[in-house]
Amino acid sequence: MYPAKLILFGEYTVLLGGRALAMPLQQFKAYWDRSVLETDTRISGFFEYLLTNDSLKDLFDAAKMKSDLGAGLVFQSDIPLGYGLGSSGALCAATYDTYALTKSTDLHLLKKQLADMEAHFHGASSGTDPLICYLNQTLLLEKNNIKVLSDFSLDRTTNWQFFLLDVGFPRPHSDLIKWFVAQSEQSHYRDQVEANLLPQVEEVITALMQKQQHLCFDLMHEISLFQVRYFQPMIPDALRPLWMDGLSSDWFKLKICGAGGGGFFLGMTNDLERLETQIDFSLILVQ
């Protein structure tokens, strides 16, 4: 079984050298299966890419991959596509785990190999998503370092909880990451991100790791406010009224999850049941 992944904080600022905190999400999983009724074209196309790519083809057991495909190999997954939870990352992790001739223990090399694999789906990849799915561990991503936080867990001793809000449709095909990178090349925009969002993300990651839930909530407010001002393409119009309600409330906040634009958004509240009764969106508790 290979879990989904969730970037709690730092989904865009990591591109500018900031930290990011990401964890496996066990509510969604993927696994290999067999079928005599269908051919998994996503798998066959992916395997072909791996076995013809100059930097990857010698990493994998080609004979086993071809044999398993011929025997009806399929990849079963309930990780929704385009929702920011690493659906392609789980496939890369499973493929590496099953077919790599030698599995690297160097996290930087492993991340690079997984990034090259996931490039088949996205054109470019950081390797973060498949790394989390493969290791099944929480990771603290820094500029030149990757820390495995094997003891990390969300605090269950208070009423504060993280949740995922489903807007009901996947992210758009437009590349929001490219939009952010282009905006960051403008000095005014980058200055705002570096002066405000970067330190907010640094502080909230530290607060979460230290289980300072009230401070985390206060920083969620600051991040949510910044994102509604400077990440407008990432927030769907249907979600904007609720987002603003959160900013004016003292019991829930919303922020971007993954690239944004659709799929899941991350929230924090001290009364999940109340929120569920007041909105039309589906909510999932982060565990």
Side-chain angles (χ1 to χ4, degrees):
M1 292 282 190
Y2 302 90
K5 67 83 195 180
L6 173 63
I7 296 181
L8 291 163
F9 295 101
E11 60 283 337
Y12 275 100
T13 52
V14 71
L15 300 175
L16 301 181
R19 294 191 300 173
L21 183 64
M23 62 180 283
L25 188 66
Q26 304 296 344
Q27 285 104 316
F28 299 95
K29 294 183 182 294
Y31 59 93
W32 295 118
D33 201 357
R34 306 279 179 177
S35 174
V36 297
L37 301 177
E38 60 180 318
T39 299
D40 196 328
T41 55
R42 188 185 192 209
I43 302 296
S44 58
F46 180 47
F47 281 12
E48 181 180 0
Y49 163 78
L50 297 178
L51 297 178
T52 56
N53 183 286
D54 289 339
S55 65
L56 294 169
K57 61 184 180 182
D58 295 330
L59 292 177
F60 299 101
D61 187 336
K64 181 173 172 52
M65 294 169 81
K66 293 174 182 177
S67 173
D68 286 350
L69 277 176
L73 182 72
V74 295
F75 192 64
Q76 303 285 9
S77 174
D78 63 6
I79 305 172
L81 299 177
Y83 266 61
L85 296 186
S87 56
S88 60
L91 175 54
C92 292
T95 301
Y96 188 90
D97 189 35
T98 306
Y99 297 105
L101 293 168
T102 302
K103 299 174 187 177
S104 177
T105 57
D106 181 323
L107 293 184
H108 293 280
L109 176 58
L110 177 58
K111 185 170 178 283
K112 171 65 166 59
Q113 291 173 334
L114 291 168
D116 289 344
M117 293 172 66
E118 197 175 32
H120 171 69
F121 300 104
H122 301 306
S125 166
S126 68
T128 298
D129 289 7
L131 185 64
I132 296 163
C133 299
Y134 176 72
L135 296 175
N136 197 13
Q137 296 272 12
T138 298
L139 300 180
L140 180 63
L141 304 166
E142 299 173 316
K143 187 172 184 179
N144 296 309
N145 195 24
I146 304 169
K147 291 183 180 179
V148 177
L149 304 181
S150 55
D151 295 329
F152 176 85
S153 63
L154 295 174
D155 190 356
R156 306 296 181 197
T157 63
T158 72
N159 291 330
W160 294 106
Q161 297 174 307
F162 286 99
F163 62 89
L164 293 173
L165 180 149
D166 184 356
V167 295
F169 51 84
R171 63 175 176 263
H173 292 297
S174 58
D175 196 328
L176 296 173
I177 295 176
K178 286 184 178 179
W179 179 89
F180 173 76
V181 171
Q183 291 294 111
S184 298
E185 292 174 353
Q186 301 178 31
S187 60
H188 172 72
Y189 187 89
R190 189 180 182 108
D191 288 346
Q192 290 297 320
V193 172
E194 290 182 341
N196 296 285
L197 186 59
L198 264 169
Q200 290 162 4
V201 171
E202 293 294 307
E203 288 183 53
V204 77
I205 288 174
T206 299
L208 188 58
M209 292 171 62
Q210 295 178 348
K211 301 189 185 302
Q212 297 176 298
Q213 298 293 76
H214 283 282
L215 177 56
C216 188
F217 184 75
D218 291 343
L219 290 163
M220 275 280 290
H221 174 87
E222 298 302 323
I223 291 170
S224 181
L225 181 61
F226 188 92
Q227 289 183 343
V228 81
R229 289 175 174 171
Y230 292 96
F231 287 72
Q232 292 192 20
M234 290 77 162
I235 303 173
D237 291 341
L239 183 59
R240 196 169 293 270
L242 183 64
W243 193 293
M244 300 307 295
D245 287 346
L247 285 172
S248 63
S249 82
D250 60 359
W251 60 281
F252 81 93
K253 308 292 175 184
L254 295 171
K255 66 173 287 291
I256 293 166
C257 174
F264 285 121
F265 288 78
L266 185 68
M268 188 176 185
T269 182
N270 64 359
D271 197 340
L272 189 64
E273 292 184 1
R274 174 186 172 190
L275 190 60
E276 288 177 321
T277 64
Q278 295 188 8
I279 65 174
D280 295 328
F281 300 99
S282 298
L283 305 180
I284 299 174
L285 178 65
V286 175
Q287 297 178 331

